[in-house]
Amino acid sequence: MGNNLKDAQGRPVVAVTGMGLVTSLGWGKAANWAQLALGRSGIRTITRFPTDGLRTTIAGTVTCADGHPGSTPELTFAMARSAAEEALIQAGMTESPGFPGPMFVATPPAELEWPQRKALFEHPSGEGLQGYDRLLAAARTGDFKSMFETFQFATVADHLATALAPRGLPVSVSTACASGATAIQLGVEAIRRGETDAALAIGTDSSVQLEALIRFSLLSALSTRNEPPQRASRPFSKGRDGFVMAEGAGVLVLESLERAQARGAKCLGIIRGCGEMADDYHRTRSKPDGTAIIGAIRNALRDAGAAPEEIDYVNAHGTSTPENDKMEYLSLKAVLGDHLEVTPVSSNKSMIGHTLSAAGAIEAVLSFMMIENSLLLPTINYDEPDPDIPLDVVANAARRGIVRTVLSNSFGFGGQNAALVLAAAP
Amino acid sequence: MQRQRAAWVTGLGIVSSLGEGQDAHWQALARSPVAAAKIDNSSHAPYAVHPLSAVDIDRLIPSRADRKQMGAWQRLGVHAAGLALDDAGVAGNEQILEYMDLVVAAGNGERDESFDARLLDQICALSTREAAATLNAALASGLRPTLYLGELSNLLAGNIQIVHKVTGSSRTLKGEELAGFSAIEDATRRIAAGQADIVLAGGALNAERNDLLLNYELADSLWAMPFAPVWERSRAGGGFVPGSAAAFLVIEASDHALKRGARAYARISATTSDRVLRAEAGDIAASLRRLGDRLPIGQADHVLGVLSGASGVEPATSEEYSFLKDWIGVPQQRASARAYGTLLGHSVEAHFPIGVALACLALDRNGFFEPFEDNALEVPCTVPPERILVTSVGHWRGEGLALIERVDSSARMA
């Protein structure tokens, strides 16, 4: 009795007892699953701002019933709050006065956007002044205090803390496109240390604003296959030409399995292992020999105490950039060896785009849903396999299959790599 | 519970308006009066900033290509990180760097101010429709592609990985002052629990930029009057003077440090933090009192030094003042506080790492800093403190306290 409460290293087993999801396909897990299982895409033409003259005009934007709230941090917060509420309801944790543990939030950059800059510039207080002197004169009037509260780096996590009342100081994390996985890892580590028996891990990102779109475009990272939008994100296929920016949020309620069992909560799965390794090669490219990605995956397997052969399915980072997908294949091959040939792989980004800071958390939620439903979500737009990437891609349509253990990869700009080993409830 | 290991600080890298390195900071802070503060009142008038001293921040970044890809904030942080690694005796030690973990507290990097100014001038003269088209065209053709990489929060860490080869893991925490606190806390907790052996943690701020001033002035947070020390500013509504600075610490498990013969400055013996909504007057002080009760301070059997990270912004600063005055018993003989922001300015994400670095310096050199102003907290300290409390009260959000203690001289060196 109780033997399954500690892992092989004597640490508390970390269970997932609640999950929430928002993507361009909808708000809530059920709405998303219905679409994803059919291989539908949430990528669409951007209408939030004019895209005249831009090379990329598509994204996986999230739409709100009452319109866009006005800025990246506001939508980032709204999605995370909705997904967190869904997760807490599932976990049966809405009764207590607040969430009984710390909160780790992966968030996008926070910076004034052009509409805000323009509003400051046009304020009459700055008349006769130039540039930033004029913006500062407007700021001094005190008329823009709400702008301050919206655009601090701590804002999204702080507003979530007000809404959800977690314990202690909320932590905002960025490891670029690995942030969501890092937020989960921070929660897992806190539970394993015995500091807490519950933690909230959130990944949320609503970066589809003009300047961010252009900046990724200038780095030649984005797909320019604008027509039709639904066909642009094509991980592992020969014609892939970049990722598609997208928005969304994923939330996981993490608990020690002991606490979950004691309160009779349903265990949706366990976070069996986490691994990281940073690259020292280049700001946007990984080392040609893949050592950092390989190291992150190996560290995750080691942390999980899992043999490569135990991996039943790989939820790939699969961004649809020429570079990522090739490197990810080579790294998987290096770690899983021959076992890779019989391991199905898919990328949710083919349907929901690249949700950046949120991706690791969203993909963890989807991985657990695949385990629960014995259904592997597809990689759509896979009609011309890249011959250099001989993977068993779950092509175009969902596939039935029993999955107990998933490897989920997240690799970030800046060489920050994370991998998670996610498993069915014991 | 798992075994708890002591987290020692074995390397320091500090750069600020006072100069570079331990000696420059010790001399300025321990011996000079407040007049030693370096302040630029003109470049960003009516705001003052503590400008970075004339140090060669590219000395440890040999590749010109690397430097070109970085913003000033990143170069400053990469430099301080290099100083810390060097000080800890691990610079270039690939065997250790390969498993060394990195935790960085960061905001974001510098915008191209003249580009922003030109573009605002252009679009504000146009109709909405024309403005949108102009904005798209100008951004798509005028932004330097690599500028984004110089701005992204996690790319300070990315550059430390590339330049210094710290590759065990890399995490960037965001969220103003308390990001700096969380970075040190994450490193300390992982070491205590055996989840890490050696961690490089810290942050950097380039204060000499209008886009940063704008961000904080939106909430009327800047001090725009003639220079005044931190605590005194509450009488005139408060405000902070941004200071360019960076601090990185090598934090190491004591057994790991002993095994490689590394020397300890001090140990980080406790950290505790919270975030209250600050809805009512007194909420911040109450939060600090609750945190203080969690620290193993008890009745003072040793002299307690306090290095306060108070920013000068109200109401955070006067509430911290009342907390320190009432709770710690300052100004009784055995405790004495210094708001180091008076001399260095406020360095937001880097501010708490700097406070911890200064605490390590004082404990290592067996002394304390001279008072920076004349009040009930900053009383002279005649006996060197054995323990230093470092406070981090965010100018807008978050409260954190850390206790840094002397390592027994018998144990501190292998």
Side-chain angles (χ1 to χ4, degrees), chain A residues 107 132 162 189 192 283, chain B residues 2 116 159 171 174 275:
Chain A
T107 56
Y132 272 83
T162 302
E189 286 176 351
R192 284 177 175 174
R283 288 155 193 87
Chain B
Q2 302 183 15
D116 286 351
N159 282 299
R171 297 170 184 177
K174 305 182 297 185
R275 164 265 182 214

Side-chain angles (χ1 to χ4, degrees), chain B residues 168-188:
Chain B
S169 70
S170 174
R171 297 170 184 177
T172 296
L173 305 182
K174 305 182 297 185
E176 292 70 44
E177 292 89 348
L178 275 293
F181 188 92
S182 295
I184 303 289
E185 183 165 70
D186 182 58
T188 307

Side-chain angles (χ1 to χ4, degrees), chain B residues 299-312:
Chain B
Q299 289 304 308
D301 50 347
H302 293 294
V303 171
L304 179 70
V306 179
L307 282 172
S308 164
S311 60

Side-chain angles (χ1 to χ4, degrees), chain A residues 75-338:
Chain A
L75 181 54
T76 300
F77 164 71
M79 294 187 303
R81 180 184 186 156
S82 169
E85 283 167 353
E86 182 183 21
L88 291 170
I89 289 169
Q90 185 176 26
M93 289 171 86
T94 50
E95 298 289 316
S96 64
F99 185 80
M103 178 175 73
F104 301 96
V105 192
T107 56
E111 190 173 50
L112 295 181
E113 295 162 27
W114 284 95
Q116 288 79 29
R117 246 176 241 121
K118 190 163 178 282
L120 288 163
F121 197 80
E122 287 173 337
H123 193 271
S125 61
E127 213 142 304
L129 296 170
Q130 297 299 313
Y132 272 83
D133 287 340
R134 187 158 163 169
L135 300 176
L136 279 159
R140 272 196 294 279
T141 62
D143 292 352
F144 297 93
K145 280 202 170 157
S146 66
M147 229 183 244
F148 167 84
E149 288 217 359
T150 303
F151 290 93
Q152 293 301 290
F153 272 102
T155 293
V156 170
D158 189 75
H159 291 181
L160 287 169
T162 302
L164 308 170
R167 300 271 165 85
L169 185 67
V171 173
S172 301
V173 63
S174 173
T175 47
C177 310
S179 306
T182 306
I184 293 171
Q185 181 171 18
L186 287 165
V188 168
E189 286 176 351
I191 292 171
R192 284 177 175 174
R193 285 194 293 262
E195 279 162 27
T196 179
D197 49 18
L200 201 52
I202 299 178
T204 181
D205 199 314
S206 155
S207 284
V208 182
Q209 48 107 342
L210 179 65
E211 191 169 302
L213 178 80
I214 290 176
R215 287 178 161 216
F216 277 120
S217 178
L218 288 170
L219 289 170
S220 306
L222 300 183
S223 173
T224 56
R225 196 188 279 262
N226 295 314
E227 286 299 334
Q230 299 76 19
R231 303 277 290 155
S233 183
R234 41 184 60 234
F236 306 118
S237 67
K238 200 174 168 203
R240 69 187 185 278
D241 71 333
F243 73 80
V244 177
M245 277 180 84
E247 301 175 324
V251 175
L252 296 94
V253 174
L254 308 177
E255 274 183 271
S256 68
L257 184 61
E258 187 172 2
R259 181 185 199 274
Q261 288 185 353
R263 68 181 189 90
K266 185 183 177 194
C267 174
L268 307 172
I270 62 168
I271 313 282
R272 202 170 144 188
C274 314
E276 298 162 286
M277 188 178 283
D279 209 327
D280 60 3
Y281 179 67
H282 190 272
R283 288 155 193 87
T284 58
R285 294 202 307 272
S286 53
K287 211 180 251 187
D289 64 7
T291 38
I293 296 180
I294 291 169
I297 298 173
R298 283 209 172 116
N299 286 341
L301 290 173
R302 189 180 306 128
D303 188 56
E309 292 70 29
E310 288 180 63
I311 300 300
D312 300 319
Y313 160 76
V314 176
N315 189 262
H317 188 52
T319 57
S320 184
T321 63
E323 166 91 4
N324 174 81
D325 296 2
K326 187 185 72 186
M327 288 309 304
E328 187 166 12
Y329 162 71
L330 292 172
S331 304
L332 286 170
K333 183 77 189 161
V335 180
L336 301 185
D338 292 343

Side-chain angles (χ1 to χ4, degrees), chain B residues 13 28 39 170 173 178 204 242 272 332 338 353 358:
Chain B
I39 297 163
S170 174
L173 305 182
L178 275 293
T272 180
Q332 288 159 19
R338 308 284 182 264
L358 297 177

